[in-house]
Amino acid sequence: MPRTNKKAEQNNGHTPFAVVEAYNTIRTNLLFVLSQRKGKSFTVSSANPGEGKSTTALNVASSFSQLGSKILLIDADMRKPILHKKAHVQNAKGLSSVLVGFCDKSEAIQEVNPFLHLLPAGPTPPNPGELLASGAFDELMLALKEEYDYVIIDTPPINVVSDALVAATRTDGIVLVARDRTTYHEEFQDAVSSVEFADVKVLGVVLNALDIKRGEKYKYKYKYKYRYKYRNSANSTHINK
C-alpha cells in the first residue's frame, strides 16, 4: 500500500481560498473537455522552465482528488524531478525504477492523501527520453489507467527536450502552462506548434501568476533573463533567456 503523507495534507489546509477556487475552475473545465473525449489522462507542461507547470500539476491533481476520484500524478521529469519535494515524499524509487524493472509500481507509488497518489520520477537514468518512448511505459500507462480514475503526468518543458511530447502521446491531451510577465508569445507559440506537430490535443492553457490588480491586458514589452540548468542524458545544458 502507498504510504500516507501527513505533511502534504496539512499544507493543503493553508492554501488561500482564491487559489483553491481557481484550481477548482480549472478542474471543472478539464472534466468537461475530458468527458467530451471520454478521456481519463492528460499531460501538464510548459514552453520553458520556471513557468509553474509542476505546481499547477500538483494543485490540479489535488483538486481532482477532492471529488473522491482516485488520482495518480506521475513525475515524468526524470532529468530534474521536483514533485517529490513539493509533495514531501521520498524519491528513492520512482518511474525510472519501474520502467527499468528495478521494482514494481506498487513499491514506488506513494500516497499524498487518500485519493491522490504520486509516482515520483525516481533516480535520474541515462536515457529518460528512451524510457518514456519504450514499450514498458506504454504497458505501465495501460495498467495505471485501469487502476485510477485519472492519470496526470508532469513533464519537462517542451522547448527544452522532447520528453513532454513523448509522454503526451500516451495521454488524452496536454495542458499548457504559461506565466504572466515571463512567457514570451513566440516561445509559447513554438511549444504549441510542437504539440500540434506531434498530433497531441491541447486541452487548455493555464495562465499562471496573473496580477489581476493591474486591470489591463499584459503586453510582452519587458525582457526577462534567467539562467536555468537542465540535465540531459549526456551532460548539463545551460539555457539562457
Side-chain angles (χ1 to χ4, degrees), residues 5-154:
N5 187 346
K6 299 294 184 182
K7 187 173 181 180
E9 290 179 4
Q10 294 170 357
N11 287 346
N12 287 340
H14 297 292
T15 305
F17 175 78
V19 175
V20 172
E21 284 303 299
Y23 281 109
N24 287 346
T25 299
I26 294 171
R27 176 193 67 199
T28 300
N29 292 338
L30 282 172
L31 284 172
F32 176 77
V33 173
L34 288 170
S35 68
Q36 300 299 303
R37 299 175 60 83
K38 297 182 179 180
K40 56 184 303 181
S41 64
F42 59 91
T43 300
V44 178
S45 193
S46 61
N48 300 306
E51 295 173 336
K53 64 173 182 57
S54 296
T55 298
T56 298
L58 180 57
N59 286 331
V60 168
S62 178
S63 181
F64 267 72
S65 73
Q66 291 168 9
L67 296 178
S69 300
K70 191 176 181 183
I71 309 300
L72 177 67
L73 177 60
I74 301 176
D75 190 346
D77 190 345
M78 292 180 282
R79 303 169 190 268
K80 194 175 179 66
I82 195 172
L83 279 179
H84 64 285
K85 296 179 181 179
K86 291 181 177 294
H88 307 285
V89 302
Q90 298 298 314
N91 193 41
K93 295 179 181 179
L95 178 61
S96 62
S97 312
V98 176
L99 293 180
V100 299
F102 285 169
C103 70
D104 185 74
K105 61 180 174 26
S106 62
E107 301 176 61
I109 294 174
Q110 300 183 57
E111 187 176 281
V112 179
N113 68 48
F115 295 101
L116 174 59
H117 294 169
L118 172 66
L119 176 56
T124 301
N127 56 341
E130 293 178 16
L131 289 180
L132 291 175
S134 68
F137 187 61
D138 290 335
E139 293 176 6
L140 176 64
M141 286 297 297
L142 289 174
L144 293 174
K145 288 177 184 179
E146 289 293 323
E147 185 175 348
Y148 289 88
D149 294 316
Y150 293 96
V151 178
I152 303 170
I153 304 179
D154 179 40

Side-chain angles (χ1 to χ4, degrees), residues 48-51 182 187 224-228 239-241:
N48 300 306
E51 295 173 336
T182 300
E187 294 172 336
Y224 291 84
K225 293 184 178 180
Y226 60 90
R227 168 166 289 197
Y228 189 94
I239 302 165
N240 299 302
K241 299 294 182 187

Side-chain angles (χ1 to χ4, degrees), residues 167-206:
T169 59
R170 273 72 176 175
T171 65
D172 298 298
I174 190 168
V175 175
L176 295 174
V177 178
R179 189 175 184 88
D180 188 34
R181 299 173 66 91
T182 300
T183 306
Y184 286 105
H185 173 78
E186 294 81 4
E187 294 172 336
F188 186 80
Q189 187 56 56
D190 286 344
V192 172
S193 297
S194 296
V195 170
E196 292 176 343
F197 183 78
D199 198 24
V200 174
K201 173 70 175 180
V202 178
L203 301 178
V205 176
V206 175

